[in-house]
Amino acid sequence: MSARSTGLWAIVGVLLVLAAVPPLLVPVYAKETPTLWGFPFFFWFQFVLVLWAALMTSCAYVLAKEAFRRDRAARGQDGGAK
Amino acid sequence: MNGVAFGVFIFLFLVVTVMGFAAARWRRAKSMGSLDEWGLGGRGFGTFIAWFLIGGDIYTAYTFIAVPATLFAGSATGFFAVPYTIVIYPMVFAFLPRLWSVSHRHGFVTPADFVEGRYGSKGLGLAIAVTGIVATMPYIALQLVGMQVVLDVMGLKSSSDNWFMKDLPLFVAFVILAAYTYSSGLRAPALIAFVKDTLIYIVIIVAVIYIPHQLGGWGHIFDVVKHGFNDFNTQNSDKIASGAASPKATYPATGIGQWAYGSLALGSAMALFMYPHSVTGVLSTKNRNVIRRNASLLPAYSFLLGLLALLGFVAVAAAVKVGNPPNAQLAIPQLMEDQFPSWFAGVAYAAIVIGALVPAAIMSIAAANLFTRNIYKAFFRPNAEPAEEAKVAKLVSLVVKVGALVFVLAMSKTFAINLQLLGGVWILQTFPAIVAGLYTRWFHRWALLLGWAAAMVYGTWVAYDTPSPTQQHFGGSVHNFPGTHTGIYIAVTAFILNVVVAVVLTLVFKAVKVPDGVDRTKRADYVADLGDEDVEAELTPETAIH
């Protein structure tokens, strides 16, 4: 990890935590209302969490790719696989 | 038996059979005589293929049968499969690229290869390999159970009492699977996975739109289910109070249910990528980026799985008949039989059966890789050449599949399901050695081995000791956390014990200076990528045929 990538890796970590932790906070979403298109909250909220997690990991992917590139540049390697 | 449904089913089955054999020529290499080729498909799969392969690998036919079946039976806990498959991907993102890098630098094919190289301990490697094999075997057997259920609903079960004649169609399907896995290796399931997932996506999307529409919409379905469950609970309140029946619920309303739900999601997520077949999928990818990109693309399957799970409730609302005594696993195939026009029911059956073939193939390849590398080569033939390794692995893949088949045909299905439950508990116990090892060499190899052993014994004993209204032993995955009345996933409790033992004994062994093994890996190995020294590119396919 080089000085130039530390910040990026920290953001990647935060994004991953934001993706992984909400599904584990079961009491927050274990309820019936409000319903959406007939789906109880418990179910539709977890579908939203799937999309949310996909968004977070996608952002993390873009940042991690850049951070990884900087690390390699700092070690004098080329950018690795594209 | 319905002729149209059967015809469509046979047609699709023949298509994938041809693909399975043709796969040997797909992205063809100079020689199939090494584990890198036969067992990892040449280590050259890009994002697109890997998405199908890994998706085909972890969302199995049994998942498609069993998850909705739990909801159908009145346990909303089964929906934990959705948070479970959300939590997985940030973890995949974090640690699997490191495993990819170190494995490519050192030619590791299995997770046990890595552990052996990292800790300089064949014993610890053996423990990881044996855990992987025994956890995978019942998983393969359950794929067969999934196939059996579909063949049953199609009316392909003959009335003969002979165990061989009774399941002849299953037997035929499995012999074909074994033959093309033998000749094409990982390329076969990788190619068939395209068909499998396309069919599954079509079937599920049609099912979640078409069937609820027929039944009066999702809101109506949820209402019917809720009232049905409430009626059941009122009528059976005595039995529920005495523990002879479980209450039904549409979501985990109590703190106890919520702990079970959350711990099942977390424990299963941590366990999934410890399974050798998941690692096989990951190591077959072309470069580091493929894994991370897939971590953000694979949740598409989780969305699908959630919709599929809800078909369990749809089956309740459609008042599907599942035999007497009731077998909840018939719910989804029977729902399709009842609701779809017969040609489309044929597509649905084919989707599930092909959905069993893909993971069964990958699992048997992964188990064969483990046996070859970490038992055969490690202990009996240290100088085995790559060609000999490939030969042994091909034979072992046959043995593994035949074993799973005998398992399902000759023994009780409950036994396979119990063992699958145990498999999840067991495989999580390889997490400390593998995942901690990717970041640090702090743990002592014997401490990890003893932590693993303690957790294996404890987890097995607790699972044995867990009753349910219908079974005295192996009654479920959840037990009361010691000293509390809060039920959590057994694998998680055993995992905590595992880590505590490993930490305490590492401190002890370090204090008394017990020799630790030699680490063959270097720091830089964990971030190596395609193009670096010693990281070979795709093993030169003669001509890449697409």
Side-chain angles (χ1 to χ4, degrees):
Chain A
M1 204 180 282
S2 73
R4 289 187 303 160
S5 71
T6 314
L8 282 179
W9 283 121
I11 301 172
V12 168
V14 170
L15 291 173
L16 294 182
V17 168
L18 285 177
V21 171
L24 299 174
L25 306 175
V26 188
V28 173
Y29 60 83
K31 50 184 95 161
E32 259 177 292
T33 51
T35 56
L36 181 70
W37 300 320
F39 286 69
F41 184 75
F42 179 71
F43 294 105
W44 71 256
F45 184 72
Q46 292 186 71
F47 283 108
V48 172
L49 284 181
V50 173
L51 302 177
W52 167 254
L55 180 68
M56 291 299 108
T57 37
S58 302
C59 296
Y61 166 68
V62 174
L63 294 179
K65 208 164 126 180
E66 173 60 17
F68 191 64
R69 197 192 57 77
R70 288 188 195 175
D71 285 344
R72 295 176 68 89
R75 286 195 303 268
Q77 293 163 308
D78 67 11
K82 292 295 177 301
Chain B
M1 188 171 26
N2 182 311
V4 177
F6 182 68
V8 172
F9 171 82
I10 288 292
F11 170 75
L12 289 169
F13 187 83
L14 287 178
V15 168
V16 299
T17 302
V18 171
M19 287 178 78
F21 286 106
R25 312 174 67 88
W26 177 51
R27 304 170 62 88
R28 191 177 193 173
K30 282 210 176 67
S31 148
M32 284 284 268
S34 75
L35 283 190
D36 297 292
E37 282 301 333
W38 182 83
L40 290 179
R43 295 192 190 249
F45 293 149
T47 304
F48 185 70
I49 303 173
W51 186 78
F52 280 103
L53 180 67
I54 301 174
D57 191 9
I58 61 186
Y59 299 88
T60 70
Y62 183 70
T63 320
F64 290 154
I65 299 282
V67 171
T70 56
L71 273 83
F72 177 79
S75 167
T77 308
F79 204 73
F80 86 83
V82 172
Y84 149 42
T85 51
I86 298 174
V87 176
I88 283 176
Y89 296 111
M91 299 204 302
V92 167
F93 190 107
F95 71 78
L96 283 176
R98 293 178 73 85
L99 183 64
W100 185 95
S101 291
V102 73
S103 298
H104 274 65
R105 242 311 131 84
H106 292 271
F108 298 149
V109 174
T110 69
D113 278 349
F114 162 66
V115 167
E116 189 185 322
R118 177 64 145 163
Y119 295 97
S121 167
K122 280 187 190 172
L124 190 56
L126 178 69
I128 305 295
V130 170
T131 314
I133 294 171
V134 295
T136 305
M137 288 285 284
Y139 218 151
I140 303 174
L142 283 193
Q143 302 311 317
L144 296 183
V145 171
M147 275 164 74
Q148 226 174 5
V149 166
V150 172
L151 296 172
D152 213 0
V153 170
M154 281 175 73
L156 280 183
K157 207 166 185 162
S158 79
S159 48
S160 167
D161 282 338
N162 183 302
W163 66 271
F164 177 77
M165 284 310 292
K166 199 173 70 182
D167 285 298
L168 191 60
L170 182 69
F171 196 72
V172 171
F174 223 52
V175 168
I176 294 175
L177 167 74
Y180 61 64
T181 312
Y182 182 89
S183 65
S184 305
L186 193 65
R187 283 179 171 81
L191 198 55
I192 297 174
F194 289 105
V195 181
K196 176 225 158 191
D197 290 331
T198 310
L199 288 179
I200 295 256
Y201 269 92
I202 294 171
V203 168
I204 294 175
I205 290 167
V206 170
V208 299
I209 296 170
Y210 177 78
I211 303 178
H213 182 72
Q214 300 285 93
L215 296 172
W218 280 103
H220 176 69
I221 289 167
F222 281 113
D223 281 344
V224 171
V225 171
K226 199 173 118 187
H227 287 122
F229 286 1
N230 286 342
D231 290 349
F232 174 89
N233 293 344
T234 324
Q235 284 157 17
N236 296 282
S237 54
D238 299 347
K239 277 192 191 169
I240 291 169
S242 69
S246 306
K248 296 187 173 186
T250 51
Y251 69 99
T254 62
I256 289 176
Q258 292 164 5
W259 271 102
Y261 193 85
S263 64
L264 278 165
L266 178 64
S268 308
M270 290 166 69
L272 184 65
F273 274 87
M274 300 299 112
Y275 273 106
H277 62 273
S278 327
V279 173
T280 300
V282 167
L283 293 187
S284 71
T285 56
K286 182 164 62 182
N287 63 50
R288 251 180 159 251
N289 262 337
V290 171
I291 303 164
R292 288 204 167 135
R293 194 180 292 140
N294 259 300
S296 49
L297 297 176
L298 281 164
Y301 283 98
S302 311
F303 203 92
L304 190 76
L305 180 62
L307 293 174
L308 183 85
L310 290 178
L311 286 183
F313 282 169
V314 174
V316 174
V320 161
K321 299 275 175 297
V322 291
N324 193 21
N327 176 5
Q329 297 200 343
L330 294 175
I332 291 309
Q334 193 62 52
L335 177 73
M336 292 168 168
E337 165 91 12
D338 294 350
Q339 301 284 335
F340 285 147
S342 49
W343 70 271
F344 197 72
V347 175
Y349 301 148
I352 298 177
V353 168
I354 298 167
L357 296 177
V358 170
I362 307 174
M363 287 168 191
S364 65
I365 289 169
N369 288 348
L370 277 172
F371 175 84
T372 308
R373 273 301 178 94
N374 309 106
I375 298 177
Y376 181 77
K377 189 174 179 186
F379 290 95
F380 300 106
R381 292 292 302 261
N383 299 320
E385 295 288 319
E388 183 182 343
E389 282 182 27
K391 203 172 115 195
V392 172
K394 287 165 98 168
L395 287 174
V396 174
S397 85
L398 294 181
V399 174
V400 166
K401 277 197 282 278
V402 171
L405 188 65
V406 170
F407 205 110
V408 172
L409 297 187
M411 289 187 234
S412 92
K413 197 161 67 189
T414 325
F415 190 58
I417 296 170
N418 291 344
L419 270 182
Q420 152 68 3
L421 186 165
L422 272 178
V425 175
W426 290 337
I427 201 72
L428 183 58
Q429 310 318 325
T430 63
F431 191 96
I434 298 172
V435 178
L438 289 171
Y439 293 92
T440 168
R441 245 325 286 278
W442 181 80
F443 284 101
H444 192 283
R445 52 181 173 166
W446 302 131
L448 285 169
L449 188 63
L450 290 169
W452 167 85
M456 292 289 280
V457 172
Y458 175 80
T460 308
W461 172 69
V462 173
Y464 175 79
D465 217 29
T466 302
S468 78
T470 51
Q471 281 173 273
Q472 214 176 350
H473 301 295
F474 301 112
S477 319
V478 175
H479 77 132
N480 281 342
F481 192 79
T484 70
H485 289 289
T486 302
I488 78 164
Y489 184 24
I490 295 165
V492 173
T493 318
F495 175 76
I496 294 170
L497 174 73
N498 188 339
V499 173
V500 170
V501 171
V503 168
V504 170
L505 289 183
T506 296
L507 293 171
V508 172
F509 289 153
K510 284 189 185 222
V512 297
K513 298 201 164 45
V514 178
D516 206 348
V518 180
D519 183 0
R520 284 200 279 124
T521 66
K522 298 191 304 286
R523 239 183 114 93
D525 292 347
Y526 293 86
V527 290
D529 201 355
L530 186 69
D532 289 357
E533 194 191 343
D534 293 337
V535 178
E536 278 199 49
E538 181 173 3
L539 297 152
T540 48
E542 273 179 346
T543 43
I545 304 161
H546 286 276

